[in-house]
Amino acid sequence: MSRRSSRTASAPGAVRPTVTVCRGCCCGSAKIPGVDHAAQLRELRAALADKATVRVTDCLDVCEQANVVVVQPSAEGRRAGGRPVWLGLVNDPDATADIAAWVDAGGPGKADPPEVLDLYTFSPSRRVRAELGDG
């Protein structure tokens, strides 16, 4: 049985991209030392206040990628071919800034992510994606 609580997926017709920040079992905890998790969340919320919905979720059950951020496209981005992008091991403030800049530019389907984010991209299981509403 998963450790996650139920989550609400972003609306399929969401006007803005959605940035989901995992803050469950390992993510956002002392298990990932040297990261100011609260500052990371504040930075994303401040940078994207008018551009995206930033939400926190319980454990996404991808603990091997701890400190996970999922960027979901807006409805327009989805129509343009954008799909959710899962980023793991987002432990560097520069990566957080790169995510914010990409989403500010439109996010999946509307803007290409900075190439450095390829280092953080991973694909979770279909079960995990489905539980977030991406699958």
Side-chain angles (χ1 to χ4, degrees):
M1 190 75 173
S2 172
R3 294 173 293 214
R4 281 178 297 240
S5 62
S6 69
R7 289 175 301 279
T8 304
S10 64
V15 175
R16 308 181 320 168
T18 300
V19 177
T20 302
V21 181
C22 184
R23 288 293 181 257
C25 173
C26 297
C27 302
S29 74
K31 291 182 181 179
I32 309 299
V35 177
D36 187 339
H37 302 287
Q40 182 182 50
L41 187 56
R42 277 193 312 272
E43 180 182 334
L44 284 169
R45 284 185 167 151
L48 299 174
D50 297 329
K51 301 289 184 175
T53 300
V54 178
R55 66 185 183 145
V56 175
T57 189
D58 197 9
C59 185
L60 289 171
D61 203 20
V62 286
C63 295
E64 68 280 358
Q65 298 290 331
N67 220 24
V68 173
V69 175
V70 183
V71 181
Q72 295 170 274
S74 63
E76 184 180 344
R78 190 171 283 277
R79 284 190 298 273
R83 295 294 173 257
V85 176
W86 288 67
L87 304 162
L89 304 170
V90 182
N91 302 325
D92 184 317
D94 290 338
T96 303
D98 288 334
I99 292 166
W102 173 42
V103 174
D104 183 51
K110 295 185 75 182
D112 290 330
E115 287 184 16
V116 71
L117 291 182
D118 288 347
L119 298 172
Y120 300 91
T121 303
F122 73 100
S123 184
S125 70
R126 283 183 294 197
R127 177 190 57 81
V128 169
R129 288 192 317 264
E131 288 183 21
L132 188 61
D134 296 339

